[in-house]
Amino acid sequence: MSNICIYDLIACAFWDVYDDIKAARHAEYWFKGGRGSTKSSFISIAIIRGLLANPDANALIYRRVGNTVKDSVFSQMLWAIDRLELTPWFKCKVSPFEIIYKPTDQRIMFRGADDPMKSKSIKLQHGYFEYLWFEELAEFQGMDAVRTIKQSALRGVDRAYTFYSYNPPKSAQNWVNAEALKVRSDRLVHHSTYLDVP
């Protein structure tokens, strides 16, 4: 099993956020930043390490459109597994896209929000979804659509973490920018710029 220190793999701008997640200080983490900000790299590594820390945890990852999953979040999670030197411990499926941690049968599932029926039919053999990630949040139709998915995925779960990652839309009136400005005790908003990948 990998003994790599996660702080060697993530940009220092995310060290405090990782500590915050480990301490379970918030339930929602909003990551805004442009390309090169390494926000997706950080989230993918944090999810893998979180699954390894809790054998009952699973992850569910969303893009607005299902046919963008393969070349974005699915590839990103494979990258994180490789960086953590854990590739032999995982197996992949592509129909539907899924990554399985072989020792415990934990799942990382991928879905598109454009197919509501597939979201409703998600079943886990054991455990629960502790991690939920909405990538490219600004592409989603609005916070109501996101909440509907979230309520379905996290129903009956006592502790879970939702990650939202997005490039800040130019318009201040955009629903993502407006939502991120709302102050909530269970929410942390992190803004990153171009960062060098370790």
Side-chain angles (χ1 to χ4, degrees):
M1 191 60 65
S2 172
N3 291 315
I4 293 175
C5 176
I6 193 170
Y7 299 100
D8 293 334
L9 297 181
I10 61 177
C12 59
F14 292 98
W15 289 358
D16 288 345
V17 184
Y18 183 64
D19 291 340
D20 194 282
I21 295 168
K22 287 197 302 179
R25 295 193 187 107
H26 296 86
E28 290 189 358
Y29 293 85
W30 290 61
F31 296 96
K32 58 180 179 177
R35 295 186 185 280
S37 65
T38 74
K39 59 187 183 298
S40 295
S41 298
F42 167 71
I43 293 169
S44 60
I45 288 174
I47 287 174
I48 296 297
R49 289 300 294 262
L51 296 188
L52 296 181
N54 178 5
D56 291 321
N58 297 273
L60 180 57
I61 302 173
Y62 272 90
R63 286 293 307 266
R64 170 68 182 89
V65 179
N67 65 13
T68 61
V69 163
K70 178 182 178 183
D71 295 326
S72 60
V73 284
F74 185 72
S75 295
Q76 181 64 59
M77 294 307 300
L78 294 178
W79 172 89
I81 291 166
D82 179 68
R83 290 286 286 173
L84 288 162
E85 298 181 0
L86 294 169
T87 300
W89 299 90
F90 287 85
K91 65 180 178 181
C92 303
K93 295 169 59 179
V94 297
S95 186
F97 287 104
E98 193 169 284
I99 299 174
I100 303 165
Y101 182 49
K102 292 189 283 189
T104 58
D105 203 39
Q106 288 167 271
R107 308 288 171 123
I108 304 169
M109 297 181 173
F110 304 83
R111 294 292 188 274
D114 53 337
D115 193 342
M117 295 310 296
K118 286 188 177 179
S119 297
K120 291 180 180 179
S121 65
I122 295 174
K123 301 291 186 217
L124 287 169
Q125 294 182 353
H126 80 275
Y128 56 92
F129 288 118
E130 186 171 7
Y131 297 92
L132 183 59
W133 177 15
F134 294 92
E135 168 71 316
E136 299 292 356
L137 182 64
E139 295 178 355
F140 288 75
Q141 293 180 330
M143 200 61 197
D144 286 344
V146 171
R147 285 195 191 97
T148 297
I149 294 171
K150 186 174 177 179
Q151 288 169 358
S152 177
L154 303 182
R155 184 178 292 114
V157 176
D158 293 329
R159 186 188 70 176
Y161 305 94
T162 304
F163 300 141
Y164 304 94
S165 55
Y166 60 100
N167 300 325
K170 292 180 180 179
S171 171
Q173 305 304 315
N174 182 280
W175 74 267
V176 174
N177 290 332
E179 183 67 29
L181 290 174
K182 295 179 180 178
V183 177
R184 289 178 41 167
S185 61
D186 63 346
R187 175 182 293 176
L188 184 149
V189 178
H190 181 272
H191 189 188
S192 55
T193 55
Y194 180 84
L195 301 167
D196 291 328
V197 179

